[in-house]
Structure formats: C-alpha cells, structure tokens
Amino acid sequence: MVRESSSHWRQKCRCLLLGLIITLILGAVAVFVAVVFVHKRDSPSELPQWKGRGSTANLKEIMLGRCFNYARIRNPNLRIDCLKIWETFKNAFISKNPCNITEQDYQPLMELTTYPIPCNKTLLWSKTNELAHQYTKVQGNLLTLEDMLPGYMADKLIWCGIPSRPEINYQSCPQWHECANNSYRTFWKTASKRFAEAACGVVHVMLNGSISQAFENSSIFASLEVHHLNPKKVHLMKIWVIHNIGGEPSDSCSGSSIKKLKSIIEGKNITFSCEDDPRAVQFLQCVRNPEEPVCRVCRTEQ
Ligand code: N1C
C-alpha cells in the first residue's frame, strides 16, 4: 500500500517536472520568436526604400522648438498649443504611405496654424529661396511663407511616415519628384495655396532670371500660387526678376515666360508690373560680390 502510493507520488512528480520543462521550452521559444520579430521590424532593410534622405533627425524637437520660439519670442501675443500642433502635424502623415498624402490630411494643421497676413506684405518667390529670405530679413516689411507659423516650423525639414506603422521614417523618404503627393511636397502645396489665397493689396514676387525660365510651369508659384490669388483682394502684382551678379542673364521681364505670367495675371484683372534687378535687392547681392563692376557704381574715389 505504502509502495503503491510512493510510486504514484513519483509519477506525479515526473509529470509535474515534465510540464515544467515543456512550459520552460515553450517560453524560451516564444521569447526567441518575439526577439527575432522585433529585430526584423526595426531592421532598416525592412523599411520601404525611397530615393531621398530620411526624415530630419530630431524632427519633433526642432519643430517644437521653432513653435515655442515663434509663439514666445517672435509673436508673443499668439495663443497656441505647440504640443497639439506637433501631434496634428504628425497625424497628417504618420502610418500612411508617404507618396499618398493629400491636402485634406494637412487641413487640421492648417486650421490650427494659419493667421491673417496684413495687406501689401506678401512676398512670393520661385528659385530665389535664399535671396528672398535675406531680403525680407534685412528690409523687414515683407513676409514670406517661412515667416508664417506653418512655413516657419517646416522650413528646410524632411519628414515621412511608414505605412501601417506609427513611426517616423528616418532611413529614407521620397524625393521631391519621386511622387507628386509626398508628405512634405503636399505640405508645401497646401500651405502655399492658403498663403496665396490670404494675400491682399500689392503682392511682390522674386523670380530667378539666371535660369532658362523665370516663370516655370511646374513650380509651386506657377502651378498654384498664381492661380489662388484672389482678384477681389489683390490689385497689383510686382515682379522682380533677379540675375546672378556677373553672370549671363537667361530670362528677364521682356522674356517669354514673364510675358506668359503677365497675361495670366492681367486675365485675372490684377495689374502687373515687372522690374529687372531692383537696386535694393542688388545691394544685397553686392554684399557678397563687392568687387563686381555693377556693385562699384556708387563708389566715389577719394
Ligand atoms: O516651387 P517654387 O520654388 O515656386 O515654390 C516657391 C513658392 C514660394 O512662393 C513659397 O510661398 O512656394 C512656397 N514654398 C515655400 O515657402 C517653401 N519653403 C521651402 C514652396 N516651397 C518651399 N520650400 C522648399 O523649396 C520646398 O521643399 C522645395 O524643395 C523648394 C521649392 O522651391 P522652388 O522650386 O524654388
């Protein structure tokens, strides 16, 4: 009787031990599979490979910093919630195919960040990014999209998401021309359209006369901004065509691309004027090229 119960007890122990061993093995296998899966998920080779560089490192920190700088220092009267703006910005592109971002995706952000711009202050530009911003900084009376909150926060940054994964892709993003509806191209299209729609009074435009077509069809200025100016609000467009100092001009106010722009603008019942190399802009260029003959004309010999 005693022997029987001890053998029964031993058998029970064996079963328990076997159960424990099986549980341990299964646990180890589960941990192994999970580790392999997580590793695979995070491995860069598994991410979609786009031709452009990945999202700007520290995107969140940069955008939040710019937002707080804008709200606390540049424009202290502005009542905005930067964290909410960041979340709304992120929701426009996160977990989505970066070639399939629509203007609708950015509408909530635009609603949160768009403020009226005073009349006569709008400066549009195409292929003159650096000079246009140097000019507004020094002259102080005109504003570009980069002076408004959405443009200020996004200036010179790259961003895109990963389909079905709530992460930012820091490995690669579509290039500007890789697909028309990529995350940052759609952003600039949406913001530029709204910026043009909001313009009133006189609108200034800085174009580049050192490229073959100063008014170039595929640019955001030609394809969007021009068509979204409201003739009920804008009465004059002042074009400045700028040429590299010391270089050969390729296009000018009398060139065919500007003539085309003139006919579009006049067709909208907006008055049009055009000036090649206004002096105020040329002075700025002369800071970098003081020895060029065109920069010497005002100098009196002593
Ligand atoms: O295509 P573009 O010029 O004609 O676009 C310029 C036009 C400006 O008037 C702005 O209002 O569109 C707006 N805009 C920006 O403000 C902007 N900031 C930075 C458009 N693009 C902008 N970028 C970047 O410049 C953008 O990421 C892309 O690479 C260029 C487009 O500028 P462009 O071809 O010189």
Side-chain angles (χ1 to χ4, degrees):
M1 188 70 183
V2 173
R3 195 183 276 176
E4 210 174 276
S5 89
S6 90
S7 96
H8 181 246
W9 176 242
R10 238 180 281 133
Q11 203 173 350
K12 223 177 167 182
C13 275
R14 236 181 276 139
C15 280
L16 271 174
L17 200 65
L18 199 68
L20 192 68
I21 291 171
I22 291 175
T23 312
L24 279 175
I25 291 175
L26 284 179
V29 169
V31 169
F32 178 75
V33 168
V35 166
V36 168
F37 178 73
V38 168
H39 180 74
K40 260 191 131 180
R41 251 174 60 114
D42 285 350
S43 124
S45 62
E46 290 295 304
L47 295 178
Q49 289 298 302
W50 303 105
K51 290 192 190 127
R53 59 194 168 93
S55 306
T56 311
N58 301 106
L59 183 69
K60 178 178 180 180
E61 291 80 4
I62 295 173
M63 290 197 91
L64 275 178
R66 286 181 177 180
C67 181
F68 282 118
N69 188 41
Y70 195 90
R72 305 284 183 265
I73 295 165
R74 277 180 75 115
N75 209 337
N77 298 325
L78 215 55
R79 293 274 158 265
I80 49 172
D81 179 344
C82 288
L83 277 171
K84 188 172 172 194
I85 290 175
W86 162 255
E87 289 300 326
T88 312
F89 168 76
K90 206 174 68 173
N91 286 338
F93 67 92
I94 212 78
S95 302
K96 297 179 191 168
N97 179 342
C99 272
N100 219 356
I101 305 298
T102 63
E103 290 193 18
Q104 214 46 43
D105 289 323
Y106 282 112
Q107 283 317 316
L109 176 73
M110 294 300 147
E111 246 106 81
L112 268 184
T113 55
T114 307
Y115 299 90
I117 176 166
C119 284
N120 308 318
K121 297 231 177 216
T122 300
L123 174 66
L124 304 177
W125 53 268
S126 188
K127 309 290 184 278
T128 54
N129 192 337
E130 202 187 341
L131 192 60
H133 294 105
Q134 285 170 355
Y135 181 80
T136 52
K137 224 174 195 171
V138 172
Q139 187 260 8
N141 202 31
L142 291 178
L143 301 167
T144 65
L145 178 53
E146 289 70 20
D147 295 308
M148 311 306 284
L149 184 58
Y152 182 82
M153 286 178 67
D155 194 20
K156 299 189 176 68
L157 303 180
I158 301 278
W159 62 88
C160 68
I162 304 167
S164 315
R165 276 169 58 175
E167 294 159 44
I168 293 172
N169 190 345
Y170 290 103
Q171 307 293 332
S172 69
C173 287
Q175 272 175 353
W176 184 262
H177 290 293
E178 198 168 342
C179 47
N181 295 327
N182 84 48
S183 18
Y184 55 98
R185 186 165 167 180
T186 303
F187 169 88
W188 286 114
K189 286 195 289 191
T190 313
S192 305
K193 207 163 117 179
R194 285 180 80 107
F195 187 55
E197 280 165 356
C200 61
V202 183
V203 170
H204 288 82
V205 185
M206 192 185 285
L207 300 178
N208 189 338
S210 291
I211 55 174
S212 59
Q213 297 207 308
F215 180 63
E216 198 262 314
N217 288 338
S218 69
S219 66
I220 290 185
F221 171 67
S223 61
L224 277 171
E225 291 180 328
V226 162
H227 305 287
H228 283 87
L229 293 172
N230 182 349
K232 289 192 185 129
K233 296 195 292 176
V234 177
H235 63 86
L236 171 62
M237 177 180 271
K238 275 187 157 187
I239 302 288
W240 295 330
V241 180
I242 312 297
H243 301 95
N244 294 341
I245 287 201
E248 278 300 305
S250 305
D251 203 355
S252 68
C253 285
S254 52
S256 60
S257 87
I258 299 293
K259 281 191 181 139
K260 185 175 164 199
L261 173 58
K262 182 175 191 285
S263 83
I264 297 173
I265 292 302
E266 289 180 341
K268 284 171 78 77
N269 260 332
I270 297 172
T271 310
F272 179 92
S273 79
C274 185
E275 184 181 357
D276 285 305
D277 301 308
R279 264 163 50 91
V281 180
Q282 205 162 60
F283 285 149
L284 255 184
Q285 295 174 293
C286 285
V287 175
R288 281 203 182 164
N289 307 274
E291 298 311 324
E292 287 291 335
V294 72
C295 298
R296 290 176 165 202
V297 286
C298 301
R299 218 147 114 180
T300 47
E301 296 303 327
Q302 302 200 337

